[in-house]
Amino acid sequence: MSESAASPPRGAAQVLSLPVEGMTCASCVLRVEKTLKKTDGVLQASVNLATNRALIEIDPTVASLEQLREAVADAGYALVLPARADESADDVSAAQEAREQAASATLRREFIFAAAVTAPVMALSMLMMLDAFRAAWPMAMDETNRLLLVLTAPVLFISGKRFFVGFWKGLAHLTADMNTLVAVGTGAAFIYSTVATLFPSALGLHAAHADVYFDTSATIITLILMGRLLESRAKSRASGAIRALAQLQPPTARVLRFGNEMDIPAREVVTGDLVIIRPGERIPVDGLVTKGETSVDESLVTGESLPVEKREGDRVIGGTINAHGSLELRATAVGKDTVLAQIVRLVEQAQGSKAPVQKLADRIASVFVPVVIGIALLTFAVCFFFTDIGATASMIRMIAVLIIACPCALGLATPAAIMVGVGVGAEKGILIRNAEALERAHRITVVVLDKTGTLTEGTPSVTDVIAMDGTDPDRLVALAAAAERGSEHPLARAVLAEAKRRGVDVPAADSFRALPGLGVIATAGDDSIVAGNTTILSEFAIHAALPSEADALSADGKTLIHIALNGAYAGSIAIADRLRPSSAAAVEALRALGCEVVMLSGDNEATANAIARSAGITRVYAQVLPEQKAERVRELQADGSVVAMVGDGVNDAPALAQADVGIAMASGTDVAMESADITLMRSDPAGIAQALRLSARTIAKIRQNLFWAFFYNVIGIPLAALGLLNPMIAAAAMAFSSVSVVTNALLLKRFK
């Protein structure tokens, strides 16, 4: 949605995910969506039939929750707001699950009642066709029809009440949906049969020979309720990822306060609290280990199958399991700020978003029900006026058209697959921001990989120190560490670690400035320090003939930080960042998917090429500044390539944003990667191919679902209009279509 000049900045927008009650088909989804988009202050809205939720982006200074609720209510549906202002995401999810369970229980009771009453109606109607049974049956035909009327009425108006109430609401708003088709179809059969039973002469019939269709009305209602019940259960399985993630948060936490251990609700833990974790317990909050050593099972959050060793100073994620040792940690994030809460929000929002492939289904759904009603009326008119089959047979064909054409499958085809695909991704440590990214990912032709932290482990260490004549190596390391102390770059941390290992005193820097892609400049006491690549030396007119050792180290794939002291080259520090064990296999897996693999690096060509050779990459761009990475991506796109950029989500933000799909390699402790479409919770490049395969599988399921939804109607409606489809068979087929779409989507759970 485009924003006008008066629109608030995007940072001021608020994204809400709220349950919507009363939706039954694709037409309902579109009506709620259009209503929300027309509401003042709504920047964007996406409504999902599979999750029964609306994802709404609003300007909170213009739109209020109450205004949204009233707008949706005016359209005939219910937008469920949080019970209180401070209600947590867990509370909202629990409340929605409770409502869904209650609705499912009600649906189950209605189906059981309808089935129990429909069985004798159906049996009696069929047996009355047999001469032998009619001779033994104590009631006359007109009396039997009255009995069938008495039995069928509760099925329609107790178990089937929801359809007629929905039809009436739609009529009041001059709209039509699935309820309209079911209510008109079953209502027409029931009204005709009632008149034929009570006032046969009005139809020119004799009471003893009037054909009635009470069994048709009752059976249609029962079969549709059965389909709804099966669909509800299938959708519950499809949305299991959210519930599984939410349940990872333990309800209580053991904290150390005033020198005593006490158990409190996890939501009452505050940042800075000391939390005690015993062996086998689930960690309640994000934190830093302050005491103890253990291994932590992070598989359900990051997808990492092996336990991760943790010791003092390491980060831990709430929801993970402490394997064996006792831990004390200081809470750094609680409640909605934890990694787990961020994951739940990302998954929930992604499941509620729409893929571009849904647009065709939306366009059809917007006119589907009125067109079907038109076809049904046309079927009746043609059959009644231009054939000799009579009013009764014409009505039956009209009813069959109405029932077979329910748009449920059309509405569920895409969102069911998206919901399962996103959920499966989350279980495997692949967080997908929205359905659009999921759809684009399967079309990727070029994958651009950042070197540091993506192909390599991102934790480099100093391997060699080259000091020029007259320069003490320890002093060189100390001054380099002084200059790098203010930098967050992994190479800077390696220099600081080397200074600590050597036990040298690192002077405080009086000034510091980082030059992205080049290095740093600083002053420490009487010394001015320049540290970085060869380009930064040229920038400051420092002319140095690098020793042959430096060239040899670069050829081995090591990164060199060149240091100039007081305007003269003083030496170099060699740092090696090892290739991840899975990098070469990951590159090969991407090639197997038909993708070209490109590496970008800010390092010199020798270092970049050495790493690329080890990973099996032949196309390399070296000495690329952060802003130039985005330009390289644009160049690839200009050639017609569909580009995925894989980086750390911070330094590579411009390139991630420029790419068709941005993939961020997370550490498992920061998932708020605003520039990335997909975040890999494990820092393992093998996840890239896995994400692309998941995208391809999900899109395949969407296409299968859409094909069968369209094919079902394209075949079913003509058959019904030609009288080749009994209304009861049409009802069974309609119920099966919705269940089959969700069941087909659930097959994605087999993805490995």
Side-chain angles (χ1 to χ4, degrees):
M1 176 185 292
S2 62
E3 298 181 50
S4 67
S7 296
R10 297 293 288 182
Q14 180 182 2
V15 178
L16 308 169
S17 179
L18 299 172
V20 181
E21 295 181 346
M23 297 190 301
T24 57
C25 66
S27 298
C28 302
V29 169
L30 288 176
R31 193 172 312 127
V32 175
E33 203 168 271
K34 288 179 180 178
T35 298
L36 287 169
K37 287 179 177 178
K38 291 178 182 177
T39 305
D40 289 341
V42 173
L43 306 175
Q44 184 59 277
S46 175
V47 181
N48 191 308
L49 182 61
T51 60
N52 290 323
R53 295 183 79 91
L55 189 65
I56 315 166
E57 185 178 2
I58 67 169
D59 177 357
T61 64
V62 179
S64 68
L65 291 179
E66 189 59 31
Q67 287 172 327
L68 299 178
R69 187 193 65 78
E70 290 176 358
V72 173
D74 288 342
Y77 304 90
L79 185 69
V80 182
L81 304 183
R84 59 183 193 277
D86 63 339
E87 190 170 22
S88 69
D90 290 344
D91 293 333
V92 173
S93 298
Q96 184 184 11
E97 186 173 352
R99 285 192 300 271
E100 289 174 351
Q101 289 175 350
S104 181
T106 300
L107 185 60
R108 185 172 180 272
R109 288 194 299 270
E110 291 174 351
F111 166 68
I112 291 173
F113 175 79
V117 178
T118 298
V121 170
M122 191 72 181
L124 185 56
S125 298
M126 294 177 65
L127 290 171
M128 287 299 289
M129 297 177 186
L130 303 176
D131 293 338
F133 180 82
R134 282 202 308 273
W137 180 248
M139 291 184 180
M141 181 62 76
D142 58 340
E143 293 174 327
T144 301
N145 288 345
R146 289 190 184 94
L147 174 61
L148 292 173
L149 168 60
V150 171
L151 290 173
T152 302
V155 175
L156 261 69
F157 304 117
I158 294 178
S159 291
K161 177 183 176 182
R162 62 177 64 221
F163 303 113
F164 293 94
V165 170
F167 163 65
W168 183 253
K169 286 182 178 179
L171 191 62
H173 292 87
L174 300 177
T175 58
D177 56 20
M178 170 192 167
N179 294 313
T180 305
L181 302 180
V182 175
V184 170
T186 58
F190 181 79
I191 292 171
Y192 172 85
S193 301
T194 300
V195 173
T197 298
L198 301 180
F199 311 103
S201 58
L203 299 174
L205 302 172
H206 189 280
H209 303 290
D211 290 328
V212 296
Y213 298 93
F214 292 118
D215 57 334
T216 298
S217 298
T219 303
I220 288 173
I221 291 293
T222 302
L223 288 173
I224 293 175
L225 287 174
M226 180 185 71
R228 283 276 193 91
L229 185 61
L230 294 174
E231 177 189 313
S232 173
R233 291 178 176 177
K235 285 166 65 176
S236 178
R237 287 180 59 202
S239 61
I242 286 286
R243 287 196 304 276
L245 286 170
Q247 289 169 359
L248 293 180
Q249 184 73 49
T252 61
R254 186 174 298 105
V255 299
L256 189 62
R257 289 181 177 174
F258 311 110
N260 298 316
E261 290 186 15
M262 57 180 70
D263 290 335
I264 63 172
R267 70 175 63 185
E268 294 181 9
V269 178
V270 297
T271 303
D273 269 343
L274 289 176
V275 183
I276 309 300
I277 314 294
R278 292 173 181 166
E281 290 184 339
R282 199 174 289 279
I283 298 170
V285 295
D286 295 356
L288 284 173
V289 177
T290 56
K291 187 185 298 183
E293 292 187 7
T294 188
S295 59
V296 175
D297 180 359
E298 298 181 341
S299 59
L300 291 176
V301 176
T302 67
E304 176 60 66
S305 58
L306 297 176
V308 181
E309 297 298 322
K310 301 290 182 180
R311 56 181 56 84
E312 186 175 341
D314 288 341
R315 292 183 178 274
V316 292
I317 307 171
T320 57
I321 301 172
N322 178 28
H324 53 76
S326 293
L327 282 183
E328 177 186 281
L329 62 91
R330 188 172 300 280
T332 57
V334 299
K336 63 182 179 60
D337 297 322
T338 63
V339 167
L340 184 59
Q342 290 183 57
I343 293 173
V344 170
R345 281 198 300 274
L346 283 172
V347 173
E348 193 173 74
Q349 290 179 13
Q351 288 184 337
S353 61
K354 284 193 175 183
V357 72
Q358 177 71 16
K359 291 179 181 178
L360 174 61
D362 285 348
R363 284 197 296 270
I364 293 174
S366 65
V367 297
F368 187 85
V369 174
V371 167
V372 168
I373 293 174
I375 293 173
L377 293 174
L378 181 63
T379 298
F380 177 84
V382 169
C383 292
F384 182 74
F385 292 110
F386 299 100
T387 71
D388 57 358
I389 64 174
T392 301
S394 299
M395 180 194 69
I396 291 300
R397 293 188 184 187
M398 179 190 74
I399 292 170
V401 170
L402 290 170
I403 298 303
I404 193 67
C406 245
C408 302
L410 196 61
L412 288 168
T414 299
I418 293 294
M419 181 165 65
V420 178
V422 169
V424 168
E427 291 170 357
K428 300 187 179 303
I430 303 169
L431 299 185
I432 300 163
R433 181 169 295 279
N434 53 54
E436 187 175 356
L438 183 63
E439 180 176 340
R440 282 200 306 264
H442 85 285
R443 295 187 285 109
I444 294 299
T445 58
V446 176
V447 177
V448 179
L449 301 172
D450 177 51
K451 179 180 74 71
T452 304
T454 300
L455 286 169
T456 63
E457 293 183 345
T459 53
S461 58
V462 172
T463 60
D464 303 89
V465 176
I466 306 170
M468 298 304 289
D469 295 339
T471 303
D472 178 31
D474 285 349
R475 181 171 182 266
L476 185 71
V477 170
L479 290 175
E484 298 282 10
R485 179 177 278 167
S487 173
E488 291 296 323
H489 197 282
L491 299 182
R493 290 195 292 271
V495 173
L496 290 166
E498 177 65 12
K500 183 178 180 180
R501 187 188 71 79
R502 288 174 176 252
V504 298
D505 292 329
V506 178
D510 301 315
S511 66
F512 166 85
R513 182 157 64 99
L515 302 176
L518 300 176
V520 298
I521 58 174
T523 59
D526 296 331
D527 293 304
S528 63
I529 310 162
V530 176
N533 55 24
T534 54
T535 305
I536 198 172
L537 297 182
S538 300
E539 288 280 333
F540 286 87
I542 298 169
H543 304 289
L546 298 180
S548 58
E549 283 181 82
D551 293 334
L553 292 171
S554 291
D556 288 340
K558 297 180 180 181
T559 300
L560 293 177
I561 295 180
H562 305 296
I563 299 107
L565 301 179
N566 304 314
Y569 172 68
S572 301
I573 297 176
I575 298 173
D577 185 10
R578 290 177 297 175
L579 192 72
R580 293 184 186 277
S582 61
S583 289
V587 170
E588 185 58 36
L590 290 171
R591 285 213 182 91
L593 292 176
C595 298
E596 180 186 0
V597 182
V598 177
M599 190 185 86
L600 296 183
S601 175
D603 277 335
N604 60 67
E605 289 191 12
T607 301
N609 286 328
I611 292 294
R613 282 194 301 273
S614 300
I617 299 173
T618 57
R619 189 172 180 181
V620 181
Y621 293 102
Q623 292 181 299
V624 180
L625 299 177
E627 59 270 22
Q628 293 175 329
K629 290 182 179 181
E631 182 58 35
R632 290 286 183 268
V633 171
R634 276 192 290 271
E635 291 172 1
L636 291 167
Q637 290 170 323
D639 292 337
S641 300
V642 183
V643 181
M645 172 68 197
V646 187
D648 62 11
V650 181
N651 293 329
D652 301 310
L656 289 169
Q658 175 63 40
D660 296 284
V661 176
I663 302 177
M665 301 280 286
S667 63
T669 57
D670 181 10
V671 296
M673 301 295 186
E674 294 300 328
S675 300
D677 300 300
I678 298 174
T679 299
L680 305 179
M681 290 296 292
R682 283 183 294 141
S683 296
D684 183 353
I688 304 166
Q690 194 175 29
L692 301 189
R693 286 197 298 270
L694 176 61
S695 167
R697 288 283 297 276
T698 304
I699 296 305
K701 288 299 178 189
I702 289 174
R703 288 172 175 166
Q704 291 168 13
N705 285 347
L706 287 174
F707 170 80
W708 286 113
F710 287 128
F711 179 80
Y712 160 82
N713 283 296
V714 167
I715 297 298
I717 291 175
L719 290 176
L722 293 171
L724 301 175
L725 203 61
N726 183 280
M728 289 183 283
I729 297 176
M734 187 276 287
F736 174 75
S737 68
S738 299
V739 177
S740 64
V741 162
V742 181
T743 302
N744 187 46
L746 282 169
L747 294 177
L748 279 169
K749 286 182 173 286
R750 298 179 180 179
F751 176 80
K752 295 183 184 296

